[in-house]
Amino acid sequence: MRKKYPNITNKLWSVSAIAAILIVWQSVCSLGVVDAFMLPSPVRVCRAFVSEFPLLMEHSAITLAEGAVGLGLGIALGFVMASVMDRFDVLYQAFYPLVVLTQTIPTVAIAPLLVLWFGYEMLPKVILVVITTFFPITVGLLTGFRSADPDAIDLLRAMGAKKRQIFFYIKLPGAMGQFFSGLRISASYAVVGAVISEWLGGFGGLGVYMTRVKKAFSFDKMFAVILLISFISLLLMKAVDRLQKVCMPWERDLRQETN
Amino acid sequence: MVVLKAEGIKKSFGTETIISGVSLELHKGELVSLLGLSGSGKTTLFNVLAGLSVPDEGKVWLEGTEITGKPGKVSYMLQKDLLLPYRTVVDNVALPLLIAGTPKREARERAASHFAQFGLEGTENKYPAQLSGGMKQRAALLRTYLFSEKVALLDEPFSALDMLTKSAVHQWYLGIMQQIQLSTLFVTHDIDEAILLSDRIYLMTGRPGRITDEIVIDEPKPRRKDFNLSGEFLSYKREILVRLGGGPRLSET
């Protein structure tokens, strides 16, 4: 109960900050300080959002599908890589630098290549999403595996546990927290990654929609789609939080106890 | 009947010999302490007895079968309770059964059937973080017991508890040991604890560590209430202090 009060004030501050920015933005537009076609007012953005809503939903479905498939494969890949690198130290030494290297390649630079190699369909988008999402998962899981308490591992060894049992009883559950931190980042990367790959060629999706409205100088629709992408990312991160609470009931029970 | 026996154990790390020529015996239902100063190699000896590390010399037998370097035979409990935070208490306690291949439901039922005896009733579906320090050690001891009813190795299991909790846990521990008759080798650096709980005490001193003395505590169990304030208790304590103090000089010769 005690926690509730500061929570409300926290939200109050952030909500008033957003409101203040919107008011300044709207007045700058209404007073004609900036040309209307350069910077559409919040009201016009909202109107564009409503009128374009059915079209936006159609494109969202495509982007979300690419993001979801890519994220799913990214999780699977991250899982396999982290487990294998944890099990065999040689592979860790060999591949960890390479995994880090893949993250230094700018997404925008590699996307056109993927289009050239794999065409305009879904495949290059999914591949790009996999490249951007597997990394936080791999690193999160690997850190979790490696931070397992050596005494706990010794205890299980003393009980006669095999390596596989140590993995499933200690390492994997102990890495859940870090896994979900990684997943939260990956979930937002998935949408952004899909959008970026759609910019460079494709037949549908929010990225394709973006390039179209940009060419038509419809800045109000541009803002509407940006808003939508942020909203989807936030929603996904919230969903990850929910999933974490379901999958890690011991943390939830603790919080109830202390409240 | 000798349950656990070790003979001529030597273990070095690099050029430094940690323990040398250590032999000991543990009889059925007996509680024996291994008392020594910090750095006398108690934990190294424990890891050898638990089969976690292989000694350079010497052998370990469990009920006549050699188990040197073989984990999974002798159960083991540390100062840290090492209850896994993401498993409920009953699932933590059932862990050794699960590792041994017992089906999940049966393991849980067997674990739960001991909860009342160990004073843990009602905590089955809680998580470890919701228990007090003393309760966590009880759960850890039950887990140790379910792993092996033959021998338990306890490495300073109560040293992280505050004095009052520790005293209550000692009373409880003596009571439960009376019931389950678990043969126990108990590492401690707390002289009072060793005298209060043990049937026999091995003193470990020197560098490399050796067993330099053996003291039998000739006091019936359950202990009388004021045993730890009695003259006998103090004379045991004086004797141990003298012999421990003589340790370093012994090892120099």
PDB file of all heavy atoms in Angstrom, chain A residues 149 151 155-160 165 169-170 173 249-250 253-254 257, chain B residues 52 71-72 76 80 82 84-87 95 98-99 127 129-130 143 147:
ATOM      1  N   ASP A 149      26.008 -20.095  -9.195  1.00  0.00           N
ATOM      2  CA  ASP A 149      26.802 -20.238  -7.977  1.00  0.00           C
ATOM      3  C   ASP A 149      27.610 -21.548  -8.014  1.00  0.00           C
ATOM      4  O   ASP A 149      27.024 -22.626  -8.077  1.00  0.00           O
ATOM      5  CB  ASP A 149      25.840 -20.244  -6.776  1.00  0.00           C
ATOM      6  CG  ASP A 149      26.597 -20.297  -5.455  1.00  0.00           C
ATOM      7  OD1 ASP A 149      27.817 -20.536  -5.478  1.00  0.00           O
ATOM      8  OD2 ASP A 149      25.944 -20.103  -4.415  1.00  0.00           O
ATOM      9  N   ASP A 151      29.083 -23.076  -5.724  1.00  0.00           N
ATOM     10  CA  ASP A 151      28.755 -23.939  -4.584  1.00  0.00           C
ATOM     11  C   ASP A 151      27.491 -24.744  -4.851  1.00  0.00           C
ATOM     12  O   ASP A 151      27.383 -25.913  -4.469  1.00  0.00           O
ATOM     13  CB  ASP A 151      28.570 -23.115  -3.309  1.00  0.00           C
ATOM     14  CG  ASP A 151      29.899 -22.647  -2.746  1.00  0.00           C
ATOM     15  OD1 ASP A 151      30.920 -23.310  -3.044  1.00  0.00           O
ATOM     16  OD2 ASP A 151      29.931 -21.639  -2.039  1.00  0.00           O
ATOM     17  N   LEU A 155      27.171 -28.716  -4.956  1.00  0.00           N
ATOM     18  CA  LEU A 155      26.172 -29.447  -4.171  1.00  0.00           C
ATOM     19  C   LEU A 155      25.467 -30.477  -5.052  1.00  0.00           C
ATOM     20  O   LEU A 155      25.304 -31.636  -4.666  1.00  0.00           O
ATOM     21  CB  LEU A 155      25.143 -28.476  -3.587  1.00  0.00           C
ATOM     22  CG  LEU A 155      24.045 -29.151  -2.776  1.00  0.00           C
ATOM     23  CD1 LEU A 155      24.566 -29.529  -1.403  1.00  0.00           C
ATOM     24  CD2 LEU A 155      22.835 -28.250  -2.640  1.00  0.00           C
ATOM     25  N   LEU A 156      25.075 -30.044  -6.262  1.00  0.00           N
ATOM     26  CA  LEU A 156      24.395 -30.988  -7.151  1.00  0.00           C
ATOM     27  C   LEU A 156      25.332 -32.087  -7.627  1.00  0.00           C
ATOM     28  O   LEU A 156      24.924 -33.234  -7.763  1.00  0.00           O
ATOM     29  CB  LEU A 156      23.766 -30.243  -8.333  1.00  0.00           C
ATOM     30  CG  LEU A 156      22.266 -30.067  -8.147  1.00  0.00           C
ATOM     31  CD1 LEU A 156      21.985 -28.989  -7.132  1.00  0.00           C
ATOM     32  CD2 LEU A 156      21.567 -29.789  -9.443  1.00  0.00           C
ATOM     33  N   ARG A 157      26.603 -31.709  -7.836  1.00  0.00           N
ATOM     34  CA  ARG A 157      27.584 -32.741  -8.208  1.00  0.00           C
ATOM     35  C   ARG A 157      27.714 -33.767  -7.095  1.00  0.00           C
ATOM     36  O   ARG A 157      27.766 -34.965  -7.343  1.00  0.00           O
ATOM     37  CB  ARG A 157      28.945 -32.100  -8.487  1.00  0.00           C
ATOM     38  CG  ARG A 157      29.090 -31.551  -9.888  1.00  0.00           C
ATOM     39  CD  ARG A 157      30.494 -31.014 -10.095  1.00  0.00           C
ATOM     40  NE  ARG A 157      31.513 -32.031  -9.874  1.00  0.00           N
ATOM     41  CZ  ARG A 157      32.709 -31.803  -9.334  1.00  0.00           C
ATOM     42  NH1 ARG A 157      33.035 -30.593  -8.936  1.00  0.00           N
ATOM     43  NH2 ARG A 157      33.571 -32.782  -9.191  1.00  0.00           N
ATOM     44  N   ALA A 158      27.764 -33.255  -5.850  1.00  0.00           N
ATOM     45  CA  ALA A 158      27.874 -34.171  -4.710  1.00  0.00           C
ATOM     46  C   ALA A 158      26.664 -35.101  -4.652  1.00  0.00           C
ATOM     47  O   ALA A 158      26.751 -36.218  -4.169  1.00  0.00           O
ATOM     48  CB  ALA A 158      28.007 -33.389  -3.414  1.00  0.00           C
ATOM     49  N   MET A 159      25.520 -34.623  -5.140  1.00  0.00           N
ATOM     50  CA  MET A 159      24.328 -35.470  -5.177  1.00  0.00           C
ATOM     51  C   MET A 159      24.369 -36.431  -6.359  1.00  0.00           C
ATOM     52  O   MET A 159      23.444 -37.209  -6.565  1.00  0.00           O
ATOM     53  CB  MET A 159      23.064 -34.611  -5.308  1.00  0.00           C
ATOM     54  CG  MET A 159      22.731 -33.795  -4.088  1.00  0.00           C
ATOM     55  SD  MET A 159      21.292 -32.788  -4.435  1.00  0.00           S
ATOM     56  CE  MET A 159      21.154 -31.876  -2.904  1.00  0.00           C
ATOM     57  N   GLY A 160      25.417 -36.326  -7.164  1.00  0.00           N
ATOM     58  CA  GLY A 160      25.561 -37.237  -8.291  1.00  0.00           C
ATOM     59  C   GLY A 160      24.899 -36.749  -9.569  1.00  0.00           C
ATOM     60  O   GLY A 160      24.597 -37.555 -10.444  1.00  0.00           O
ATOM     61  N   GLN A 165      21.618 -32.390 -15.889  1.00  0.00           N
ATOM     62  CA  GLN A 165      20.768 -32.055 -14.743  1.00  0.00           C
ATOM     63  C   GLN A 165      21.186 -30.730 -14.115  1.00  0.00           C
ATOM     64  O   GLN A 165      20.342 -29.933 -13.720  1.00  0.00           O
ATOM     65  CB  GLN A 165      20.848 -33.173 -13.698  1.00  0.00           C
ATOM     66  CG  GLN A 165      20.144 -34.436 -14.166  1.00  0.00           C
ATOM     67  CD  GLN A 165      20.347 -35.589 -13.196  1.00  0.00           C
ATOM     68  OE1 GLN A 165      21.445 -35.817 -12.708  1.00  0.00           O
ATOM     69  NE2 GLN A 165      19.284 -36.321 -12.926  1.00  0.00           N
ATOM     70  N   TYR A 169      18.533 -27.820 -13.690  1.00  0.00           N
ATOM     71  CA  TYR A 169      18.114 -27.473 -12.331  1.00  0.00           C
ATOM     72  C   TYR A 169      18.725 -26.165 -11.841  1.00  0.00           C
ATOM     73  O   TYR A 169      18.147 -25.486 -11.002  1.00  0.00           O
ATOM     74  CB  TYR A 169      18.474 -28.599 -11.353  1.00  0.00           C
ATOM     75  CG  TYR A 169      17.570 -29.792 -11.468  1.00  0.00           C
ATOM     76  CD1 TYR A 169      18.079 -31.078 -11.628  1.00  0.00           C
ATOM     77  CD2 TYR A 169      16.186 -29.628 -11.424  1.00  0.00           C
ATOM     78  CE1 TYR A 169      17.237 -32.167 -11.741  1.00  0.00           C
ATOM     79  CE2 TYR A 169      15.343 -30.718 -11.534  1.00  0.00           C
ATOM     80  CZ  TYR A 169      15.875 -31.986 -11.693  1.00  0.00           C
ATOM     81  OH  TYR A 169      15.035 -33.063 -11.804  1.00  0.00           O
ATOM     82  N   ILE A 170      19.916 -25.817 -12.333  1.00  0.00           N
ATOM     83  CA  ILE A 170      20.589 -24.628 -11.799  1.00  0.00           C
ATOM     84  C   ILE A 170      20.775 -23.544 -12.849  1.00  0.00           C
ATOM     85  O   ILE A 170      20.292 -22.425 -12.691  1.00  0.00           O
ATOM     86  CB  ILE A 170      21.970 -25.011 -11.229  1.00  0.00           C
ATOM     87  CG1 ILE A 170      21.764 -26.025 -10.117  1.00  0.00           C
ATOM     88  CG2 ILE A 170      22.714 -23.759 -10.767  1.00  0.00           C
ATOM     89  CD1 ILE A 170      22.574 -25.812  -8.910  1.00  0.00           C
ATOM     90  N   PRO A 173      17.195 -22.159 -14.953  1.00  0.00           N
ATOM     91  CA  PRO A 173      16.288 -21.323 -14.164  1.00  0.00           C
ATOM     92  C   PRO A 173      16.978 -20.090 -13.586  1.00  0.00           C
ATOM     93  O   PRO A 173      16.368 -19.033 -13.472  1.00  0.00           O
ATOM     94  CB  PRO A 173      15.800 -22.246 -13.051  1.00  0.00           C
ATOM     95  CG  PRO A 173      16.676 -23.435 -13.071  1.00  0.00           C
ATOM     96  CD  PRO A 173      17.277 -23.535 -14.425  1.00  0.00           C
ATOM     97  N   PRO A 249       7.277 -17.087 -11.039  1.00  0.00           N
ATOM     98  CA  PRO A 249       6.312 -16.832  -9.962  1.00  0.00           C
ATOM     99  C   PRO A 249       6.980 -16.541  -8.617  1.00  0.00           C
ATOM    100  O   PRO A 249       6.392 -15.892  -7.773  1.00  0.00           O
ATOM    101  CB  PRO A 249       5.498 -18.129  -9.900  1.00  0.00           C
ATOM    102  CG  PRO A 249       6.369 -19.154 -10.515  1.00  0.00           C
ATOM    103  CD  PRO A 249       7.185 -18.451 -11.549  1.00  0.00           C
ATOM    104  N   TRP A 250       8.235 -17.019  -8.425  1.00  0.00           N
ATOM    105  CA  TRP A 250       8.883 -16.804  -7.128  1.00  0.00           C
ATOM    106  C   TRP A 250       9.128 -15.328  -6.865  1.00  0.00           C
ATOM    107  O   TRP A 250       9.064 -14.886  -5.744  1.00  0.00           O
ATOM    108  CB  TRP A 250      10.164 -17.614  -7.025  1.00  0.00           C
ATOM    109  CG  TRP A 250      11.175 -17.321  -8.092  1.00  0.00           C
ATOM    110  CD1 TRP A 250      12.207 -16.449  -8.009  1.00  0.00           C
ATOM    111  CD2 TRP A 250      11.249 -17.899  -9.393  1.00  0.00           C
ATOM    112  NE1 TRP A 250      12.919 -16.446  -9.179  1.00  0.00           N
ATOM    113  CE2 TRP A 250      12.369 -17.332 -10.043  1.00  0.00           C
ATOM    114  CE3 TRP A 250      10.488 -18.847 -10.079  1.00  0.00           C
ATOM    115  CZ2 TRP A 250      12.728 -17.679 -11.339  1.00  0.00           C
ATOM    116  CZ3 TRP A 250      10.858 -19.185 -11.369  1.00  0.00           C
ATOM    117  CH2 TRP A 250      11.958 -18.610 -11.979  1.00  0.00           C
ATOM    118  N   ASP A 253       5.690 -13.726  -5.888  1.00  0.00           N
ATOM    119  CA  ASP A 253       5.301 -14.050  -4.511  1.00  0.00           C
ATOM    120  C   ASP A 253       6.081 -13.231  -3.502  1.00  0.00           C
ATOM    121  O   ASP A 253       5.548 -12.849  -2.467  1.00  0.00           O
ATOM    122  CB  ASP A 253       5.508 -15.538  -4.238  1.00  0.00           C
ATOM    123  CG  ASP A 253       4.389 -16.367  -4.819  1.00  0.00           C
ATOM    124  OD1 ASP A 253       3.773 -15.866  -5.776  1.00  0.00           O
ATOM    125  OD2 ASP A 253       4.144 -17.475  -4.318  1.00  0.00           O
ATOM    126  N   LEU A 254       7.336 -12.954  -3.836  1.00  0.00           N
ATOM    127  CA  LEU A 254       8.158 -12.155  -2.938  1.00  0.00           C
ATOM    128  C   LEU A 254       7.603 -10.750  -2.807  1.00  0.00           C
ATOM    129  O   LEU A 254       7.507 -10.206  -1.733  1.00  0.00           O
ATOM    130  CB  LEU A 254       9.582 -12.056  -3.472  1.00  0.00           C
ATOM    131  CG  LEU A 254      10.493 -13.180  -3.045  1.00  0.00           C
ATOM    132  CD1 LEU A 254      11.906 -12.872  -3.483  1.00  0.00           C
ATOM    133  CD2 LEU A 254      10.434 -13.326  -1.539  1.00  0.00           C
ATOM    134  N   GLU A 257       4.711 -10.566  -0.625  1.00  0.00           N
ATOM    135  CA  GLU A 257       5.080 -10.704   0.776  1.00  0.00           C
ATOM    136  C   GLU A 257       5.550  -9.371   1.367  1.00  0.00           C
ATOM    137  O   GLU A 257       5.216  -9.042   2.492  1.00  0.00           O
ATOM    138  CB  GLU A 257       6.207 -11.741   0.874  1.00  0.00           C
ATOM    139  CG  GLU A 257       6.419 -12.270   2.258  1.00  0.00           C
ATOM    140  CD  GLU A 257       5.445 -13.401   2.563  1.00  0.00           C
ATOM    141  OE1 GLU A 257       4.443 -13.577   1.844  1.00  0.00           O
ATOM    142  OE2 GLU A 257       5.688 -14.096   3.539  1.00  0.00           O
TER     143      GLU A 257
ATOM    144  N   LEU B  52      34.080 -34.910  -4.482  1.00  0.00           N
ATOM    145  CA  LEU B  52      34.154 -33.802  -5.438  1.00  0.00           C
ATOM    146  C   LEU B  52      35.572 -33.594  -5.947  1.00  0.00           C
ATOM    147  O   LEU B  52      35.771 -33.086  -7.030  1.00  0.00           O
ATOM    148  CB  LEU B  52      33.638 -32.508  -4.798  1.00  0.00           C
ATOM    149  CG  LEU B  52      32.148 -32.473  -4.516  1.00  0.00           C
ATOM    150  CD1 LEU B  52      31.790 -31.226  -3.746  1.00  0.00           C
ATOM    151  CD2 LEU B  52      31.357 -32.520  -5.825  1.00  0.00           C
ATOM    152  N   PRO B  71      31.476 -38.807  -6.615  1.00  0.00           N
ATOM    153  CA  PRO B  71      30.399 -38.059  -5.968  1.00  0.00           C
ATOM    154  C   PRO B  71      29.086 -38.833  -6.057  1.00  0.00           C
ATOM    155  O   PRO B  71      28.981 -39.812  -6.790  1.00  0.00           O
ATOM    156  CB  PRO B  71      30.334 -36.762  -6.777  1.00  0.00           C
ATOM    157  CG  PRO B  71      30.939 -37.083  -8.098  1.00  0.00           C
ATOM    158  CD  PRO B  71      31.898 -38.216  -7.885  1.00  0.00           C
ATOM    159  N   GLY B  72      28.106 -38.391  -5.296  1.00  0.00           N
ATOM    160  CA  GLY B  72      26.785 -39.009  -5.387  1.00  0.00           C
ATOM    161  C   GLY B  72      26.560 -40.089  -4.357  1.00  0.00           C
ATOM    162  O   GLY B  72      25.545 -40.780  -4.395  1.00  0.00           O
ATOM    163  N   TYR B  76      25.841 -33.846   1.646  1.00  0.00           N
ATOM    164  CA  TYR B  76      26.743 -32.722   1.790  1.00  0.00           C
ATOM    165  C   TYR B  76      25.927 -31.476   2.051  1.00  0.00           C
ATOM    166  O   TYR B  76      24.949 -31.225   1.363  1.00  0.00           O
ATOM    167  CB  TYR B  76      27.444 -32.644   0.436  1.00  0.00           C
ATOM    168  CG  TYR B  76      28.540 -31.663   0.238  1.00  0.00           C
ATOM    169  CD1 TYR B  76      29.852 -32.028   0.449  1.00  0.00           C
ATOM    170  CD2 TYR B  76      28.273 -30.384  -0.208  1.00  0.00           C
ATOM    171  CE1 TYR B  76      30.875 -31.141   0.217  1.00  0.00           C
ATOM    172  CE2 TYR B  76      29.288 -29.488  -0.434  1.00  0.00           C
ATOM    173  CZ  TYR B  76      30.602 -29.867  -0.230  1.00  0.00           C
ATOM    174  OH  TYR B  76      31.617 -29.005  -0.467  1.00  0.00           O
ATOM    175  N   LYS B  80      26.143 -21.975   3.537  1.00  0.00           N
ATOM    176  CA  LYS B  80      25.067 -21.389   2.740  1.00  0.00           C
ATOM    177  C   LYS B  80      24.003 -22.463   2.570  1.00  0.00           C
ATOM    178  O   LYS B  80      24.334 -23.611   2.270  1.00  0.00           O
ATOM    179  CB  LYS B  80      25.578 -21.000   1.351  1.00  0.00           C
ATOM    180  CG  LYS B  80      26.529 -19.850   1.342  1.00  0.00           C
ATOM    181  CD  LYS B  80      26.666 -19.290  -0.075  1.00  0.00           C
ATOM    182  CE  LYS B  80      27.777 -19.983  -0.818  1.00  0.00           C
ATOM    183  NZ  LYS B  80      27.952 -19.480  -2.194  1.00  0.00           N
ATOM    184  N   LEU B  82      21.967 -22.824   0.226  1.00  0.00           N
ATOM    185  CA  LEU B  82      21.925 -23.216  -1.178  1.00  0.00           C
ATOM    186  C   LEU B  82      20.564 -23.752  -1.604  1.00  0.00           C
ATOM    187  O   LEU B  82      20.472 -24.662  -2.418  1.00  0.00           O
ATOM    188  CB  LEU B  82      23.007 -24.249  -1.501  1.00  0.00           C
ATOM    189  CG  LEU B  82      24.445 -23.736  -1.445  1.00  0.00           C
ATOM    190  CD1 LEU B  82      25.417 -24.876  -1.688  1.00  0.00           C
ATOM    191  CD2 LEU B  82      24.677 -22.641  -2.465  1.00  0.00           C
ATOM    192  N   LEU B  84      17.495 -23.318  -3.824  1.00  0.00           N
ATOM    193  CA  LEU B  84      17.370 -22.604  -5.091  1.00  0.00           C
ATOM    194  C   LEU B  84      16.164 -21.674  -5.021  1.00  0.00           C
ATOM    195  O   LEU B  84      15.057 -22.122  -4.726  1.00  0.00           O
ATOM    196  CB  LEU B  84      17.225 -23.606  -6.240  1.00  0.00           C
ATOM    197  CG  LEU B  84      18.359 -24.639  -6.282  1.00  0.00           C
ATOM    198  CD1 LEU B  84      18.087 -25.713  -7.314  1.00  0.00           C
ATOM    199  CD2 LEU B  84      19.693 -23.968  -6.549  1.00  0.00           C
ATOM    200  N   PRO B  85      16.376 -20.376  -5.263  1.00  0.00           N
ATOM    201  CA  PRO B  85      15.314 -19.390  -5.012  1.00  0.00           C
ATOM    202  C   PRO B  85      14.080 -19.580  -5.891  1.00  0.00           C
ATOM    203  O   PRO B  85      13.000 -19.133  -5.540  1.00  0.00           O
ATOM    204  CB  PRO B  85      15.990 -18.048  -5.323  1.00  0.00           C
ATOM    205  CG  PRO B  85      17.164 -18.382  -6.174  1.00  0.00           C
ATOM    206  CD  PRO B  85      17.610 -19.742  -5.722  1.00  0.00           C
ATOM    207  N   TYR B  86      14.243 -20.271  -7.013  1.00  0.00           N
ATOM    208  CA  TYR B  86      13.136 -20.395  -7.962  1.00  0.00           C
ATOM    209  C   TYR B  86      12.379 -21.700  -7.787  1.00  0.00           C
ATOM    210  O   TYR B  86      11.523 -22.021  -8.593  1.00  0.00           O
ATOM    211  CB  TYR B  86      13.663 -20.276  -9.398  1.00  0.00           C
ATOM    212  CG  TYR B  86      15.000 -20.948  -9.594  1.00  0.00           C
ATOM    213  CD1 TYR B  86      15.061 -22.310  -9.807  1.00  0.00           C
ATOM    214  CD2 TYR B  86      16.188 -20.228  -9.520  1.00  0.00           C
ATOM    215  CE1 TYR B  86      16.268 -22.943  -9.953  1.00  0.00           C
ATOM    216  CE2 TYR B  86      17.412 -20.854  -9.671  1.00  0.00           C
ATOM    217  CZ  TYR B  86      17.447 -22.216  -9.884  1.00  0.00           C
ATOM    218  OH  TYR B  86      18.650 -22.844 -10.028  1.00  0.00           O
ATOM    219  N   ARG B  87      12.704 -22.466  -6.775  1.00  0.00           N
ATOM    220  CA  ARG B  87      11.950 -23.691  -6.504  1.00  0.00           C
ATOM    221  C   ARG B  87      11.275 -23.541  -5.158  1.00  0.00           C
ATOM    222  O   ARG B  87      11.859 -22.983  -4.235  1.00  0.00           O
ATOM    223  CB  ARG B  87      12.881 -24.915  -6.471  1.00  0.00           C
ATOM    224  CG  ARG B  87      13.521 -25.227  -7.804  1.00  0.00           C
ATOM    225  CD  ARG B  87      14.463 -26.408  -7.670  1.00  0.00           C
ATOM    226  NE  ARG B  87      13.765 -27.683  -7.732  1.00  0.00           N
ATOM    227  CZ  ARG B  87      13.453 -28.307  -8.853  1.00  0.00           C
ATOM    228  NH1 ARG B  87      13.752 -27.766 -10.006  1.00  0.00           N
ATOM    229  NH2 ARG B  87      12.829 -29.448  -8.836  1.00  0.00           N
ATOM    230  N   LEU B  95      14.926 -32.326  -4.450  1.00  0.00           N
ATOM    231  CA  LEU B  95      15.932 -32.293  -5.516  1.00  0.00           C
ATOM    232  C   LEU B  95      16.829 -33.542  -5.580  1.00  0.00           C
ATOM    233  O   LEU B  95      17.004 -34.117  -6.658  1.00  0.00           O
ATOM    234  CB  LEU B  95      16.775 -31.028  -5.365  1.00  0.00           C
ATOM    235  CG  LEU B  95      17.528 -30.557  -6.608  1.00  0.00           C
ATOM    236  CD1 LEU B  95      16.578 -30.327  -7.772  1.00  0.00           C
ATOM    237  CD2 LEU B  95      18.279 -29.275  -6.303  1.00  0.00           C
ATOM    238  N   LEU B  98      14.961 -36.306  -7.199  1.00  0.00           N
ATOM    239  CA  LEU B  98      14.772 -36.085  -8.632  1.00  0.00           C
ATOM    240  C   LEU B  98      16.054 -36.410  -9.390  1.00  0.00           C
ATOM    241  O   LEU B  98      16.024 -37.030 -10.454  1.00  0.00           O
ATOM    242  CB  LEU B  98      14.375 -34.630  -8.896  1.00  0.00           C
ATOM    243  CG  LEU B  98      12.991 -34.219  -8.389  1.00  0.00           C
ATOM    244  CD1 LEU B  98      12.807 -32.718  -8.512  1.00  0.00           C
ATOM    245  CD2 LEU B  98      11.912 -34.941  -9.183  1.00  0.00           C
ATOM    246  N   ILE B  99      17.191 -35.990  -8.828  1.00  0.00           N
ATOM    247  CA  ILE B  99      18.470 -36.248  -9.498  1.00  0.00           C
ATOM    248  C   ILE B  99      18.740 -37.739  -9.573  1.00  0.00           C
ATOM    249  O   ILE B  99      19.278 -38.242 -10.557  1.00  0.00           O
ATOM    250  CB  ILE B  99      19.596 -35.495  -8.772  1.00  0.00           C
ATOM    251  CG1 ILE B  99      19.490 -34.011  -9.114  1.00  0.00           C
ATOM    252  CG2 ILE B  99      20.974 -36.027  -9.175  1.00  0.00           C
ATOM    253  CD1 ILE B  99      20.392 -33.118  -8.350  1.00  0.00           C
ATOM    254  N   TYR B 127       8.420 -20.056  -1.179  1.00  0.00           N
ATOM    255  CA  TYR B 127       9.756 -19.987  -1.766  1.00  0.00           C
ATOM    256  C   TYR B 127      10.759 -19.715  -0.650  1.00  0.00           C
ATOM    257  O   TYR B 127      10.409 -19.112   0.365  1.00  0.00           O
ATOM    258  CB  TYR B 127       9.789 -18.906  -2.839  1.00  0.00           C
ATOM    259  CG  TYR B 127       9.037 -19.319  -4.084  1.00  0.00           C
ATOM    260  CD1 TYR B 127       7.741 -18.877  -4.320  1.00  0.00           C
ATOM    261  CD2 TYR B 127       9.623 -20.185  -4.989  1.00  0.00           C
ATOM    262  CE1 TYR B 127       7.041 -19.292  -5.438  1.00  0.00           C
ATOM    263  CE2 TYR B 127       8.924 -20.604  -6.112  1.00  0.00           C
ATOM    264  CZ  TYR B 127       7.645 -20.157  -6.338  1.00  0.00           C
ATOM    265  OH  TYR B 127       6.975 -20.570  -7.443  1.00  0.00           O
ATOM    266  N   ALA B 129      13.017 -17.611  -0.053  1.00  0.00           N
ATOM    267  CA  ALA B 129      13.195 -16.241   0.432  1.00  0.00           C
ATOM    268  C   ALA B 129      12.131 -15.856   1.461  1.00  0.00           C
ATOM    269  O   ALA B 129      12.283 -14.870   2.179  1.00  0.00           O
ATOM    270  CB  ALA B 129      13.169 -15.269  -0.741  1.00  0.00           C
ATOM    271  N   GLN B 130      11.050 -16.633   1.538  1.00  0.00           N
ATOM    272  CA  GLN B 130       9.995 -16.319   2.492  1.00  0.00           C
ATOM    273  C   GLN B 130      10.239 -16.980   3.851  1.00  0.00           C
ATOM    274  O   GLN B 130       9.462 -16.794   4.770  1.00  0.00           O
ATOM    275  CB  GLN B 130       8.646 -16.773   1.933  1.00  0.00           C
ATOM    276  CG  GLN B 130       8.244 -16.017   0.676  1.00  0.00           C
ATOM    277  CD  GLN B 130       7.082 -16.672  -0.040  1.00  0.00           C
ATOM    278  OE1 GLN B 130       7.146 -17.848  -0.421  1.00  0.00           O
ATOM    279  NE2 GLN B 130       6.016 -15.929  -0.230  1.00  0.00           N
ATOM    280  N   ARG B 143      16.897 -31.843   3.023  1.00  0.00           N
ATOM    281  CA  ARG B 143      17.366 -32.184   1.679  1.00  0.00           C
ATOM    282  C   ARG B 143      18.584 -33.110   1.773  1.00  0.00           C
ATOM    283  O   ARG B 143      18.676 -34.106   1.040  1.00  0.00           O
ATOM    284  CB  ARG B 143      17.736 -30.899   0.933  1.00  0.00           C
ATOM    285  CG  ARG B 143      18.212 -31.123  -0.481  1.00  0.00           C
ATOM    286  CD  ARG B 143      18.652 -29.835  -1.132  1.00  0.00           C
ATOM    287  NE  ARG B 143      19.712 -29.213  -0.350  1.00  0.00           N
ATOM    288  CZ  ARG B 143      20.144 -27.965  -0.529  1.00  0.00           C
ATOM    289  NH1 ARG B 143      19.585 -27.207  -1.442  1.00  0.00           N
ATOM    290  NH2 ARG B 143      21.101 -27.478   0.221  1.00  0.00           N
ATOM    291  N   PHE B 147      18.894 -37.132   0.607  1.00  0.00           N
ATOM    292  CA  PHE B 147      19.900 -37.560  -0.347  1.00  0.00           C
ATOM    293  C   PHE B 147      20.548 -38.868   0.115  1.00  0.00           C
ATOM    294  O   PHE B 147      20.746 -39.788  -0.659  1.00  0.00           O
ATOM    295  CB  PHE B 147      20.940 -36.467  -0.530  1.00  0.00           C
ATOM    296  CG  PHE B 147      22.128 -36.940  -1.283  1.00  0.00           C
ATOM    297  CD1 PHE B 147      21.966 -37.648  -2.459  1.00  0.00           C
ATOM    298  CD2 PHE B 147      23.393 -36.712  -0.813  1.00  0.00           C
ATOM    299  CE1 PHE B 147      23.043 -38.111  -3.157  1.00  0.00           C
ATOM    300  CE2 PHE B 147      24.476 -37.179  -1.513  1.00  0.00           C
ATOM    301  CZ  PHE B 147      24.312 -37.873  -2.682  1.00  0.00           C
TER     302      PHE B 147
END
